[in-house]
Each structure stands twice: as structure tokens, then as C-alpha cells.
Amino acid sequence: MKAVLSLLLFALLGVVQALSSTGSRLLVVLEEAAEKSKYSKFWGDLEARGFELSFESPKSTTLSLFKHGDLAYDHLILLPTKSKGLGPNLTPNILVDYVNKNGNILLALSAEQSIPSAVSSLLLELDIALPPERNALVVDHFNYDVKSAAEKHDVLVLPAPKVLKPGVKNYFAVDGLLAVPRAVGQVLGNASPLLAPILKAPATAYTYNPKEESESLEHLFAVGSQLSLVTTFQGRNSARFTVLGSAEMLEDQWFDAKVKTPAGAEAATANELFAEKLTAWTFQELGVLKVGRLQHFLNEDLGTGRNLTIPEFTQTYDGLYRIKNKVHFALELSEYDMDHFVPYSLPATDAVQLEFSMLSPFHRLTLQSDSQTANATIFSTSFVLPDQHGIFNFIVNYKRPFLTNVYEKRTVTVRHFAHDEWPRSYVISGAYPWITGISVTVTGWLVFVAVWLYSAPAQDKTKKSQ
């Protein structure tokens, strides 16, 4: 009976377990409880995926992102607020510390509500700039919804991004059109490799402040593809921060709305599926890489072109390597897909590389995906150690957009040849002239000594008189 109850308990725990690879605790910061009903479908989707939602007001005195120095919540959603600030518990420094401790944040903006200075300061820390004018939004006179924005043109209708970068996996591709109402455009800095735009504004879009219609449009904040409507930031610790320019994209009315473009194309929005994929990536249900077994061993009996099989992968080598040894290196790489790990599928134009380095790399080799297990891909290679003894490192440093960073380092010692390991001179064909010269020299010396010993001058037998 106890065994049956235990099995039922584990089954229930498996049902309620979050799909995220980092945890299930999700905090939603919402100023007015009445606005919670606007996002009922969004909350329902998150709860169906196993997240434990907690709602707090930014003005709450009990709100805290940390408990006993650790994260109190694994993920955070910040919705627009009418206040000028987020309160003492959500300052930019606290939010940066939250990301540094591997917390994930989804920040939603709205042009209808003024953006707190704390949010602007936080985004500047990430090299993301917002329009200086309050209530500035993105408009487009060629890509808008005819039904809901016939005059203002502030509800953009855009196709979902199909290709983000060549050779980069796109976790946000959906079929259909996206409705982006009253979005706040962002301009990204060029210096940070950690930033990546997900959804860019069309070439005909620009920022506009409807409350200052008399203002000249000659000096615009940004236009066209300079504006990012959805931006992602992934820290060096793989924590994720997503900026959604339009919080209204998450509302129920836009999850099942029908939009119509000026060209006459009419379709239902794909906002619900896009929101699911965007939150899945932000909360680390997608694009999470994991290194399984990593091993290196002597490969003297194997050719450098031989593929690695599963039995060979269990070998280990704890001794010292010697210069010019043949070595085999292999590691397992898995990718988290919503609720389980699957073998990592490498894009066609991408490669996982191995560096064998001391102070600088002596070898930089491409790892080949030789085989797969049930939930991992095995990448391996064989190579000959350099003719240099010392302390070396096997390093795999794989960093790609929208994927968690992989950095693995193993330190080994490479010794020189022992005295009895050097090949004999008669084995080396290039040493034959030297061996011949030495032989001739020794032979000539022996002949000279023999001749000198047996060629002594005859002694004079006459006695010398005194």
C-alpha cells in the first residue's frame, strides 16, 4: 500500500513540475488587480505549463525578490505601471542583482502609460535606449490594422520573424500575423554581443508622440529597422531578460483577434503562440544546452578518422600525456525542449570547436557529431598532441545567440619523452650520414693508435761513454 501511495505521489509531483529547466516559481508584478483579468489566457497558459504564479503590487511592502540571500522566485514578469517608480524593492540595482543570480525577467512596456525612470535606467544598464518623450509609440502608415487603427495607425500588423540570423536557431517562428498595439520602440547599442532583436519594426515605421502633434518630425528618435519591438538579452551566466514593447500583445482581446492589413490580407493573430514561445525562451524552456559526459583518452590504437562508439565513450585516462600522443576527445551535448532533453541538432553552418591550449591555442579543431544517444549528441575528434610539454587545457567554448553558454575546461599535463622513449639512431634514416661519420672517425682513430703502437723507432744499442 505504501508503495502504491509513493508512486501516486511521484506521479502528482511529475504533473505539477514546471517545464522550465530552472524552476517553477513565477512572480508577476501588477499594479492594479483589476487588470489581471485582461491576461486570463496568458496566465492560464503559464499555469498549464507548470508555473506557480504569484501576483504582487510594486507598492507592496512584503515584496522581495530574495530570501536568505537566494532567489525567492525563479522568474519575474513586470507589467506596465502608472506610478513613476517601481518602489524600493524593484530598483535597478536589485533587478540587476536578480539577473546576476540567474533570475529571468520579462519586461512589458506600454505607450499608454509613462515608463518609470527606474525601468529606463535598468534598460540603459543593458545598452537599450527608449524614446526620451513620454508616451512615444511606433506608428506605420503601411503596416497597420485597418479595423482597430484606421486613423492612428498605431496597431502594427507584422509577420512573425522567420530568420533571425543566418545559421542561428529561431525559437520564435510562428505561422500568421502578429498584432503589435501601441508599442514602445527600443534602440540597441552596437557594442554588446549579448543583445539580440526578435521583432524589428518595418522600414516605414517611426516613433511618434501623439500628445505633441505640433512637434516637428524632422528629428525622430529612430526609424525603420533601427527600432526593435521585442528585444532579448542573455547574460554571461545565461540568465535571460526580454523586453516586450507592447504589453497589449498579451491581452485576451489580441490572442484571438482578427486583423486586416491595408493590402486586404485578413487573418487571425498568432499572438498567443508567439507569447508562448517568447515566454518559453525567456523562462528557459527552450534554447538550454547541457553538457553530459566529457572524456578524453589515449587513442594510440585508433586511427584519427575512426568514429566514436558508445562503449569507447566510457573510457577514461588519468595519467600524464606525452608529446605527440594520439588523443581522443568527446562530449555529450543535449538541448532542453519544453519538458525534456533531446539530442542537440547543430545548424548546418555552425560548428562546435575544441581548443587545446596553453597560453594560446595549439590546436583549434571542429568536433564531429558522430553518434547520438536517447537524449544527447556525441561530438568528438582525434588529434596528435603538439611537440611541446607543459600544462594544457581542453576547452570547449560554445556561445551562440538564443542558446545558453557552454564553457567546459579540463586541465592535463603533457610530458616530454623519457630517455628510454627516444628512437634509436639506427631507426632514423636521416642519421645515417652522422652514424657513418662517427664510425669512420672511430675506425680511423683505432687504426692510428694500432699503427702508432707497433711503429716505435729502433733503439740505439751503442753505449754512451761518460
Side-chain angles (χ1 to χ4, degrees):
M1 185 64 181
K2 292 183 179 180
V4 175
L5 291 177
S6 300
L7 291 175
L8 290 176
L9 178 60
F10 282 118
L12 290 174
L13 291 175
V15 170
V16 300
Q17 185 179 6
L19 304 181
S20 172
S21 61
T22 57
S24 62
R25 301 169 299 174
L26 173 59
L27 173 64
V28 180
V29 178
L30 183 65
E31 185 173 18
E32 297 184 5
E35 295 185 356
K36 179 180 176 181
S37 59
K38 294 182 179 180
Y39 309 94
S40 59
K41 292 185 178 180
F42 182 57
W43 309 138
D45 174 69
L46 291 173
E47 290 176 345
R49 284 153 50 190
F51 289 100
E52 302 171 2
L53 273 63
S54 301
F55 294 88
E56 290 285 352
S57 170
K59 301 178 182 179
S60 175
T61 57
T62 60
L63 173 61
S64 178
L65 301 181
F66 303 96
K67 184 177 181 180
H68 305 303
D70 295 327
L71 295 182
Y73 302 95
D74 304 304
H75 317 287
L76 175 63
I77 296 179
L78 296 174
L79 291 177
T81 175
K82 296 180 181 179
S83 304
K84 295 183 179 180
L86 294 177
N89 298 320
L90 294 174
T91 62
N93 290 337
I94 292 177
L95 293 176
V96 169
D97 291 339
Y98 181 79
V99 174
N100 288 336
K101 288 184 176 292
N102 300 319
N104 305 303
I105 299 178
L106 173 62
L107 172 64
L109 306 175
S110 176
E112 293 188 343
Q113 299 180 10
S114 60
I115 300 174
S117 58
V119 172
S120 300
S121 301
L122 172 64
L123 295 182
L124 286 177
E125 294 285 341
L126 308 181
D127 206 9
I128 301 175
L130 299 180
E133 304 88 0
R134 293 190 176 186
N135 304 111
L137 50 82
V138 180
V139 297
D140 191 338
H141 304 303
F142 298 91
N143 302 277
Y144 63 92
D145 182 25
V146 176
K147 295 181 178 181
S148 60
E151 296 181 359
K152 296 183 178 180
H153 303 173
D154 55 357
V155 179
L156 277 61
V157 178
L158 308 173
K162 298 298 182 182
V163 178
L164 299 176
K165 291 183 179 180
V168 174
K169 286 191 173 184
N170 184 6
Y171 297 98
F172 315 96
V174 295
D175 295 329
L177 299 175
L178 299 178
V180 188
R182 291 165 283 278
V184 178
Q186 310 122 45
V187 174
L188 311 184
N190 297 324
S192 177
L194 308 177
L195 287 172
I198 297 300
L199 185 63
K200 290 185 178 181
T204 52
Y206 63 94
T207 56
Y208 170 70
N209 189 353
K211 294 186 178 182
E212 299 179 4
E213 296 183 0
S214 60
E215 184 181 357
S216 175
L217 297 179
E218 294 180 359
H219 304 286
L220 298 174
F221 173 68
V223 297
S225 59
Q226 295 175 342
L227 292 167
S228 176
L229 305 179
V230 182
T231 305
T232 60
F233 174 90
Q234 181 171 264
R236 302 188 188 280
N237 61 347
S238 297
R240 292 169 174 178
F241 191 110
T242 300
V243 182
L244 179 62
S246 172
E248 294 183 37
M249 288 184 66
L250 307 177
E251 295 182 0
D252 296 347
Q253 61 173 333
W254 294 108
F255 270 18
D256 54 3
K258 290 186 178 180
V259 294
K260 184 178 180 180
T261 63
E266 186 173 0
T269 62
N271 285 25
E272 185 172 5
L273 183 57
F274 180 75
E276 179 184 350
K277 292 198 172 185
L278 185 65
T279 54
W281 182 87
T282 304
F283 301 147
Q284 300 205 20
E285 298 173 84
L286 293 173
V288 178
L289 297 182
K290 173 188 174 183
V291 175
R293 295 176 293 178
L294 187 154
Q295 298 191 8
H296 51 85
F297 50 86
L298 284 174
N299 195 19
E300 298 289 353
D301 298 331
L302 302 178
T304 57
R306 178 175 175 180
N307 292 337
L308 183 68
T309 61
I310 300 302
E312 293 167 354
F313 194 74
T314 61
Q315 300 183 41
T316 58
Y317 185 75
D318 299 327
L320 300 180
Y321 288 112
R322 193 205 66 211
I323 61 174
K324 297 185 178 181
N325 271 149
K326 288 183 180 179
V327 176
H328 200 97
F329 178 89
L331 83 159
E332 287 182 337
L333 202 57
S334 306
E335 180 180 5
Y336 196 73
D337 185 13
M338 295 304 290
D339 60 350
H340 64 286
F341 281 99
V342 297
Y344 177 58
S345 178
L346 194 67
T349 58
D350 198 7
V352 181
Q353 291 187 325
L354 166 70
E355 289 185 359
F356 189 73
S357 63
M358 187 181 289
L359 295 177
S360 59
F362 278 71
H363 288 294
R364 184 177 285 115
L365 307 168
T366 298
L367 298 176
Q368 304 297 328
S369 54
D370 295 325
S371 56
Q372 289 185 348
T373 62
N375 56 5
T377 301
I378 298 178
F379 295 87
S380 64
T381 188
S382 294
F383 64 99
V384 178
L385 298 182
D387 191 3
Q388 173 68 45
H389 65 276
I391 306 300
F392 284 83
N393 298 303
F394 292 96
I395 298 177
V396 176
N397 189 10
Y398 186 72
K399 298 178 180 178
R400 298 295 184 271
F402 312 114
L403 290 171
T404 54
N405 300 326
V406 172
Y407 184 83
E408 295 291 334
K409 178 180 177 181
R410 299 292 187 274
T411 302
V412 296
T413 302
V414 179
R415 63 176 177 84
H416 50 68
F417 278 103
H419 291 291
D420 57 352
E421 291 180 325
W422 291 99
R424 299 300 180 182
S425 56
Y426 55 79
V427 179
I428 305 173
S429 58
Y432 290 169
W434 303 97
I435 296 175
T436 304
I438 293 173
S439 302
V440 171
T441 302
V442 172
T443 304
W445 172 253
L446 293 176
V447 171
F448 169 76
V449 170
V451 171
W452 183 78
L453 289 175
Y454 294 98
S455 300
Q459 295 183 357
D460 190 3
K461 296 182 180 181
T462 58
K463 295 182 178 180
K464 292 182 180 180
S465 59
Q466 301 217 352

